[in-house]
Amino acid sequence: MAWSPRHSAGRRLQLPLLCLLLQGATAILFAVFVRYNRETDAALWHWGNHSNADNEFYFRYPSFQDVHAMIFVGFGFLMVFLQRYGFGSVGFTFLLAAFALQWSTLIQGFFHSFRGGYILVGMESMINADFCAGAVLISFGAVLGKTGPVQLLLMALLEVVLFGLNEFVLLSLLEVKDAGGSMTIHTFGAYFGLILSRVLYRPQLEKSKHRQGSVYHSDLFAMIGTIFLWIFWPSFNSAPTALGDGQHRTALNTYYSLTASTLSTFALSALVGGDGRLDMVHVQNAALAGGVVVGTSAEMMLTPFGALAAGFLAGAISTLGYKFVTPILESKLKVQDTCGVHNLHGMPGVLGALLGGLVAGLATREAYGDGLESVFPLIAEGQRSATSQAMHQLFGLFVTLTFASVGGGLGGAAWGYGVQG
């Protein structure tokens, strides 16, 4: 139908006005609440005897750089395999992440670093904000091509709040371990997006399925995103962990898990593909499942063999999900998962949460030695048994699925009528 000039002008103003409103609001909140932390404030850092080399910047910034590249380059280019939505994939990723970084600094700050009436920010808050942006971009992958930038910004506005609340419940109240975010990032982002996609389901979108195809050059650009994510994923999982053996072990376990998921992806893709041919969608996505599946357990004593086994299983499940589960979701459950986030983030995220519960349940003083205190402080202090910690881990998965499902449903119901075709 043809829009009236007045209606067209109104639509043209929606994005500029929303961007200015959100930026203005966050700027005011920053002015009132946000301050440098001790590691960043000139007066506080130089109060006392500190070597400049001791500053957290030198220990955390390399990991932050890698995570930042994953968010803006990796996620953005991973979704350009859709020939008709390449600009939207990269452009809207840029927009969403830029807003989410500011908004999540505030939301996470109120939950985790609110001291003396102020939110104290530094390297750790930058990394955590990137993690939150990652969850938002995962949800974006489920609804890519079905929404415009206004709806996506509103989605981020709600999702960041629920992400922060879910993260606070899991990490601060339940005290579960989830350094690489199998639950808080991947599972939450995937199922928030999937439920949102289901609520926004419109039968007429079936007529535009041809727009979701790929061509040679779009698949090639998508592999840029895949390679960036694959290379930097050890930094993603290890960035927030305790310095020393925990961070070292997390990077190592992720490294091996990714290699195994890549081999299982190529094997299963050729096995289920026509005439033994590889499917580039599998290669671009399922090869990354190894990074997702060890997000919860990578800092634990998973062992190199355990990392290989977990990665291989995740790659296989993700590949089979693209082949068999996605068509069922679309035809039976009316879930139009544009980028297959259920296969890359949803199922491997749930598997990673279950694996984390299993490894936590096997934690012993003999296996961890004095390192038990840094990985499982409550077990080391005798406040929890290993079995109790495992049960808390599993309950954390239930809480995450609840927050994601309710949040995606509320978000879809709130602005479903405004979704653009």
Side-chain angles (χ1 to χ4, degrees), residues 12-144:
R12 189 182 307 118
L13 290 174
Q14 285 181 358
L15 181 60
L17 290 177
L18 182 60
C19 286
L20 293 174
L21 174 64
L22 293 176
Q23 184 59 80
T26 53
I28 292 171
L29 291 171
F30 264 63
V32 175
F33 292 109
V34 179
R35 300 291 185 274
Y36 295 129
N37 69 4
R38 185 183 66 84
E39 300 274 342
T40 315
D41 191 297
L44 295 178
W45 175 252
H46 290 283
W47 182 77
N49 296 318
H50 294 291
S51 165
N52 286 335
D54 294 332
N55 196 291
E56 186 183 35
F57 174 86
Y58 298 102
F59 298 100
R60 298 289 187 189
Y61 191 72
S63 295
F64 164 75
Q65 282 183 305
D66 294 349
V67 173
H68 215 46
M70 289 177 69
I71 297 301
F72 286 92
V73 181
F75 277 102
F77 277 89
L78 181 65
M79 293 185 282
V80 300
F81 72 95
L82 297 170
Q83 58 177 320
R84 295 292 296 271
Y85 299 115
F87 289 143
S89 301
V90 179
F92 293 164
T93 291
F94 199 8
L95 173 65
L96 283 178
F99 169 64
L101 294 180
Q102 298 181 58
W103 186 225
S104 60
T105 296
L106 292 165
I107 298 301
Q108 291 177 308
F110 283 123
F111 283 124
H112 299 294
S113 57
F114 195 65
R115 306 285 186 274
Y118 296 113
I119 296 170
L120 305 181
V121 297
M123 285 306 309
E124 188 173 349
S125 62
M126 292 167 66
I127 293 172
N128 289 334
D130 269 330
F131 281 177
C132 182
V136 172
L137 296 178
I138 291 169
S139 301
F140 170 43
V143 297
L144 176 63

Side-chain angles (χ1 to χ4, degrees), residues 143-155:
V143 297
L144 176 63
K146 308 181 185 69
T147 57
V150 171
Q151 287 75 30
L152 290 171
L153 283 172
L154 294 174
M155 178 194 79

Side-chain angles (χ1 to χ4, degrees), residues 280-304:
M280 285 306 297
V281 172
H282 302 162
V283 175
Q284 292 157 0
N285 294 276
L288 300 169
V292 177
V293 75
V294 295
T296 296
S297 60
E299 68 173 321
M300 305 175 191
M301 291 291 286
L302 179 61
T303 76

Side-chain angles (χ1 to χ4, degrees), residues 372-387:
L372 184 65
E373 186 172 355
S374 63
V375 182
F376 295 113
L378 296 181
I379 297 178
E381 296 166 5
Q383 298 182 38
R384 281 183 189 170
S385 65
T387 301

